[in-house]
Amino acid sequence: MMKTWQAVKRLLPMMTIFGLILAGCGREDLSVLRPQGPAAESSFGLIKLSITIMIVVLLIVFALAAYVMIRFRRKPNQNEIPEQIEGNHRLEILWTVIPLILIVILAIPTVKQVFAAGNDHANDKNAVKVKVTGHQYWWEFQYPDYGVTTAQDLVIPTGKDIAFELETKDVLHSFWVPSLSGKLDTNPAGTINRFSFSAPKEGVYRGKCAELCGPSHGFMEFKVKAVSEEEFKQWIDSMKAPAVLPEDPALAETFKNQCLTCHAVGDQGIANAPNLTGIGSREAIAGILINDDTREDGAPVEENLKTWLHDPQNVKPGNLMPNPKDLGLSDAEIDGIAEYLANYKLD
Ligand code: CUA
């Protein structure tokens, strides 16, 4: 009795930890187990197939093991050594052939799907082309057919194939939207990886960097926003509208001299850092500060911008954004820019 209790006491913390880890996997928007598009659905199909085969094999092996243990256990007063068997051709062939058949059953749909996933729609006129560039620790999305560049929120029209072209500006990253597709690495310039997926349903899908890329790897998040085709066209139009600068001329000057030397809004600035056009309409600031005060883990966009601008290193350690205070901006100027950016929304 004492021993059982001790075992329970030892196992309890481990079980609690497992429980918590598994609960973490349950986040609806970051799970391959709730596919929201054809690419993710076919991967999920493979997962189900391999798990089914594994469970069947497991049950048969455990049942056989249990049968052998009971059927051939030592009987009372049985003292002689049982008959020694060395090799059994029939059994050996059987346990070689059965796994081979199982591997073939797994291989046929897997290979088929690998080739299907290789269809990158790069030459498909109906596909929307998006160039994805990974940066430590943010994502850049360019739409070459529309001349539009954005960051962190990837806006796509529903139902259309999106032809992705992946690259990185620094180290390896991996582009992954679990509920829509498998992941693909971003390689340094010259080695472009291509793939494609689509989102049939409107919604916001969470994306993650899936390749350890530095101290803020875990914060390298982005969103895929699937909208109707009309909404997508409208989004493109408002992205192309002339830049809006802070109303206060002094603040506009500071913003131009200190921020637009790396960032861009509309047709102004340069593209070394995330494009800020319409940042007030984005799902999150810096990819992780959720702009939704109805959510427990969210806050109003202006508050998130202040959190970020007052100490970017505290939000994402190791990122390249200089602290605005070190650039000589006062607290009032930082708050003013946060307010301006929060109100920079797209119609
Ligand atoms: Cu980028 Cu991990």
Side-chain angles (χ1 to χ4, degrees):
M1 188 59 211
M2 197 59 211
K3 267 190 182 158
T4 325
W5 173 236
Q6 266 175 352
V8 168
K9 258 202 325 208
R10 264 190 221 147
L11 281 172
L12 211 61
M14 194 176 80
M15 291 319 219
T16 315
I17 289 167
F18 277 157
L20 287 173
I21 291 172
L22 286 173
C25 296
R27 287 222 37 183
E28 211 155 307
D29 47 358
L30 207 57
S31 174
V32 290
L33 304 179
R34 290 183 191 85
Q36 301 295 318
E41 260 154 36
S42 50
S43 305
F44 187 45
L46 287 181
I47 294 174
K48 283 191 287 193
L49 176 69
S50 44
I51 286 181
T52 310
I53 291 177
M54 281 190 272
I55 288 174
V56 170
V57 169
L58 194 91
L59 288 177
I60 292 173
V61 169
F62 272 62
L64 282 174
Y67 170 77
V68 168
M69 278 193 284
I70 293 162
R71 173 75 176 72
F72 299 105
R73 71 207 287 197
R74 186 179 177 190
K75 293 179 186 72
N77 304 323
Q78 182 187 19
N79 292 319
E80 74 280 16
I81 293 168
E83 190 196 340
Q84 300 296 298
I85 299 163
E86 282 166 26
N88 181 320
H89 259 91
R90 218 193 271 168
L91 271 177
E92 282 159 18
I93 290 169
L94 201 67
W95 70 51
T96 309
V97 169
I98 291 176
L100 275 177
I101 294 171
L102 293 181
I103 285 172
V104 170
I105 293 175
L106 273 173
I108 292 171
T110 307
V111 171
K112 237 165 111 180
Q113 240 163 265
V114 166
F115 279 97
N119 183 3
D120 55 28
H121 290 271
N123 298 314
D124 180 349
K125 282 197 183 68
N126 291 317
V128 174
K129 289 174 190 62
V130 177
K131 193 181 165 212
V132 176
T133 310
H135 298 259
Q136 281 172 316
Y137 302 95
W138 59 281
W139 295 93
E140 184 178 6
F141 305 115
Q142 281 169 289
Y143 300 71
D145 292 343
Y146 302 97
V148 161
T149 299
T150 189
Q152 303 296 48
D153 275 21
L154 167 65
V155 180
I156 57 168
T158 52
K160 283 232 175 180
D161 284 310
I162 315 298
F164 291 104
E165 219 184 89
L166 307 182
E167 228 182 57
T168 177
K169 265 278 145 66
D170 35 60
V171 299
L172 293 188
H173 305 274
S174 180
F175 180 73
W176 191 30
V177 192
S179 57
L180 292 178
S181 168
K183 56 186 100 154
L184 193 64
D185 272 12
T186 66
N187 290 331
T191 326
I192 288 166
N193 276 340
R194 289 192 170 84
F195 83 139
S196 157
F197 63 69
S198 63
K201 282 180 280 179
E202 283 183 34
V204 177
Y205 307 99
R206 214 162 135 214
K208 272 245 173 224
C209 175
E211 180 85 66
L212 185 62
C213 55
S216 282
H217 153 72
F219 303 134
M220 196 169 156
E221 284 205 11
F222 61 99
K223 305 283 181 293
V224 176
K225 228 169 147 176
V227 297
S228 69
E229 209 153 323
E230 299 87 80
E231 254 181 279
F232 177 71
K233 285 201 178 108
Q234 203 188 328
W235 178 77
I236 291 283
D237 287 342
S238 43
M239 283 299 288
K240 294 182 90 155
V244 179
L245 288 174
E247 266 173 49
D248 174 41
L251 195 63
E253 206 50 37
T254 308
F255 182 69
K256 264 201 226 167
N257 296 337
Q258 302 294 351
C259 309
L260 295 186
T261 43
C262 284
H263 294 275
V265 283
D267 46 359
Q268 299 209 28
I270 58 168
N272 272 349
N275 188 298
L276 302 175
T277 316
I279 190 172
S281 300
R282 288 196 194 147
E283 298 291 321
I285 296 304
I288 43 167
L289 303 171
I290 310 287
N291 292 336
D292 183 353
D293 52 357
T294 62
R295 266 173 61 166
E296 209 185 311
D297 56 350
V301 55
E302 193 179 323
E303 200 182 306
N304 286 334
L305 277 158
K306 283 182 185 165
T307 306
W308 171 253
L309 288 173
H310 279 283
D311 196 354
Q313 289 303 323
N314 190 35
V315 180
K316 269 187 182 176
N319 83 82
L320 292 178
M321 164 100 175
N323 192 320
K325 272 172 225 154
D326 297 338
L327 297 173
L329 271 75
S330 67
D331 281 346
E333 281 175 313
I334 294 173
D335 287 346
I337 286 171
E339 199 183 316
Y340 147 72
L341 289 173
N343 290 309
Y344 197 156
K345 293 184 198 279
L346 302 173
D347 346 290

